[in-house]
Amino acid sequence: MRFHIITAAFLWAAFVESRKIRGISSSYKRFYRERKSFLCIDGSKMIPFEQVNDDYCDCADGSDEPGTSACPRGRFYCTNLGFRPHYIPSSRVNDGICDCCDASDEYNSHARCQNTCWNLGQKERAYVEGQMKTLDEGLRLKQQLIEDGVLLWREKQAQLRELQRAAEDLQIKLEEHRKRKHEADRLKEQTLKALKVGDRGFRHQNSTVSHLFQLLDSNKDGSISLDELKAKVVLVHDETRVLSEDEALTLLGGGHQMDLSKFQNTLWDVLIRGDGYKIKDAHSAPGGLMSEDTHLKAADRGKLLNLTTVFAHTRTHIFFDPYCRMSFFIFIKDPLTVQRHSFFLLLQIWSCLLLQLIATMQPQLILWLRYSN
């Protein structure tokens, strides 16, 4: 009984195998369902189903002979279970050469083909696994690079913000320095203008001193002698009396002659005060500074005496004091440093300028005090 069952099963398997359509993929099986007729896949012809794989080409596209080599344009599908499936030209079917690894193309030939799909599949899977590992490692490195890049970007952003803040601070300091430089340039310009005005006043004073010296120097020899002084200078309260020799020697500083430099520092101050001596017929001199007004009061004489003393010290302080000269030199050389680091040096400069202004306005102040009353 068991023998009969096994025999029946074998016969049935052989029948199914004989009825199986060879050389088609699973996606094309719907076109080869067993029925009365078969429609060529290109739709060009309808043939009886018994003509499929009958080793005679009926369809122009070769679709009726997928498992034989009858059609020149036909293709045979290698299933290759365990490896990659692929198509081969139908002309290679049953040609005695194993083209499919599962030997399905040589089902009706004398070639002894072995199924090598499993071994080939193992090699393929090993290769694919190696590729996957390489891909995973590449993805891991890529992710690491992305994270490192994000950290680096954040660090650079922080540095950029620091640099931007530093640039803003430097811009503010630059504006402050520009304002200070502008102010220093303005002060320098004012100082140079004041120095020019003072220089003009000093030259005007020197011209007045020179004119008075030339008025006393009758013989134009560049010095005032004892006789020239006695002939030109008289007492304020007694113009008719001639100076004695002792009085003339005292005015000349103990010598018999006086040059312009000595005259400017000694006799000039005595004559400009006008409280004891004056030049004879001084009203004829330009400006009339040495003439004595009969209506001048004693209080005005005191004012003139004090102002004359101040002016004498002012001239000496401005043009002979080394601190004033040094202060002006430093200010002109580097005014920004002066403004930033030396308040007392600026105070010294303004003091010198104030005294210079007073010395420049000396003649106008004297005339105003003499004739204001």
Side-chain angles (χ1 to χ4, degrees):
M1 182 65 178
R2 180 179 297 177
F3 174 76
H4 292 292
I5 294 174
I6 295 174
T7 302
F10 177 78
L11 293 174
W12 176 254
F15 175 76
V16 171
E17 184 67 20
S18 64
R19 302 297 297 174
K20 180 180 178 182
I21 305 299
R22 300 176 183 272
I24 61 174
S25 64
S26 58
S27 60
Y28 279 88
K29 285 183 178 181
R30 67 181 185 276
F31 297 108
Y32 294 92
R33 293 175 182 174
E34 188 173 354
R35 56 176 68 90
K36 292 183 180 182
S37 61
F38 173 78
L39 178 65
C40 297
I41 294 178
D42 62 357
S44 60
K45 191 176 182 181
M46 181 79 73
I47 61 175
F49 194 81
E50 290 80 6
Q51 296 181 9
V52 176
N53 279 340
D54 63 349
D55 203 19
Y56 183 83
C57 189
D58 297 296
C59 298
D61 60 355
S63 58
D64 65 317
E65 300 296 326
T68 68
S69 58
C71 296
R73 298 176 58 186
R75 295 188 308 166
F76 183 85
Y77 180 76
C78 298
T79 305
N80 294 339
L81 186 62
F83 190 56
R84 294 194 305 268
H86 63 91
Y87 282 96
I88 62 172
S90 61
S91 61
R92 298 180 182 180
V93 176
N94 293 322
D95 62 350
I97 300 175
C98 299
D99 299 294
C100 300
C101 66
D102 60 356
S104 59
D105 62 318
E106 300 299 326
Y107 63 90
N108 194 21
S109 70
H110 300 289
R112 296 181 178 180
C113 299
Q114 296 180 357
N115 190 339
T116 60
C117 291
W118 181 256
N119 295 331
L120 294 175
Q122 283 186 332
K123 294 180 180 179
E124 183 73 12
R125 285 188 291 274
Y127 174 77
V128 172
E129 288 177 358
Q131 292 295 103
M132 291 298 296
K133 289 181 180 180
T134 303
L135 180 61
D136 292 340
E137 182 66 18
L139 292 176
R140 188 186 65 80
L141 293 177
K142 178 182 178 181
Q143 186 63 29
Q144 183 65 34
L145 290 175
I146 291 174
E147 294 176 358
D148 294 342
V150 171
L151 294 177
L152 182 61
W153 180 80
R154 291 176 180 174
E155 181 181 352
K156 295 301 180 182
Q157 287 294 319
Q159 294 178 358
L160 178 61
R161 287 192 293 270
E162 291 293 332
L163 291 175
Q164 288 176 346
R165 284 194 291 267
E168 292 175 357
D169 295 339
L170 290 176
Q171 186 66 30
I172 294 174
K173 292 181 180 179
L174 178 61
E175 294 298 329
E176 293 178 356
H177 285 298
R178 284 177 178 173
K179 291 180 181 179
R180 291 179 180 178
K181 183 180 181 300
H182 179 72
E183 183 66 18
D185 292 339
R186 186 181 65 82
L187 292 175
K188 178 181 177 180
E189 185 178 357
Q190 292 179 354
T191 303
L192 292 176
K193 289 182 180 179
L195 288 176
K196 290 180 181 178
V197 173
D199 186 60
R200 287 196 298 268
F202 184 66
R203 287 198 299 268
H204 174 71
Q205 175 182 322
N206 287 339
S207 63
T208 304
V209 173
S210 300
H211 180 76
L212 186 58
F213 180 81
Q214 293 174 3
L215 184 62
L216 295 176
D217 185 15
S218 301
N219 57 4
K220 309 301 180 185
D221 60 350
S223 63
I224 301 174
S225 63
L226 192 64
D227 295 334
E228 289 173 339
L229 186 63
K230 292 170 64 177
K232 293 290 186 177
V233 178
V234 295
L235 294 172
V236 173
H237 300 293
D238 190 359
E239 298 183 11
T240 59
R241 186 172 73 82
V242 180
L243 295 177
S244 65
E245 187 171 349
D246 293 336
E247 292 174 335
L249 287 173
T250 302
L251 291 177
L252 290 177
H256 291 274
Q257 289 184 343
M258 177 178 289
D259 58 7
L260 179 60
S261 177
K262 189 175 181 180
F263 171 77
Q264 183 177 1
N265 295 326
T266 58
L267 187 55
W268 159 261
D269 293 330
V270 175
L271 295 176
I272 198 65
R273 285 200 302 267
D275 57 345
Y277 301 92
K278 72 173 186 176
I279 298 178
K280 186 186 297 183
D281 298 330
H283 62 276
S284 62
L289 293 179
M290 275 60 70
S291 63
E292 180 66 31
D293 193 340
T294 56
H295 300 286
L296 187 62
K297 298 180 181 180
D300 294 335
R301 294 193 190 98
K303 293 179 182 179
L304 291 176
L305 176 61
N306 294 333
L307 279 176
T308 303
T309 304
V310 170
F311 295 148
H313 288 293
T314 299
R315 290 195 302 274
T316 303
H317 183 76
I318 291 293
F319 298 102
F320 300 99
D321 190 289
Y323 291 102
C324 283
R325 289 183 178 273
M326 182 180 67
S327 301
F328 283 117
F329 175 77
I330 295 177
F331 185 83
I332 294 173
K333 189 68 175 177
D334 193 0
L336 187 59
T337 302
V338 173
Q339 183 185 13
R340 292 172 60 184
H341 300 289
S342 182
F343 169 77
F344 295 102
L345 186 58
L346 284 176
L347 184 62
Q348 175 75 9
I349 291 173
W350 286 114
S351 301
C352 292
L353 290 176
L354 181 60
L355 292 176
Q356 173 64 44
L357 182 61
I358 294 175
T360 303
M361 297 177 63
Q362 173 185 353
Q364 289 82 356
L365 289 174
I366 291 176
L367 290 176
W368 179 75
L369 289 174
R370 287 171 67 94
Y371 297 105
S372 61
N373 294 326

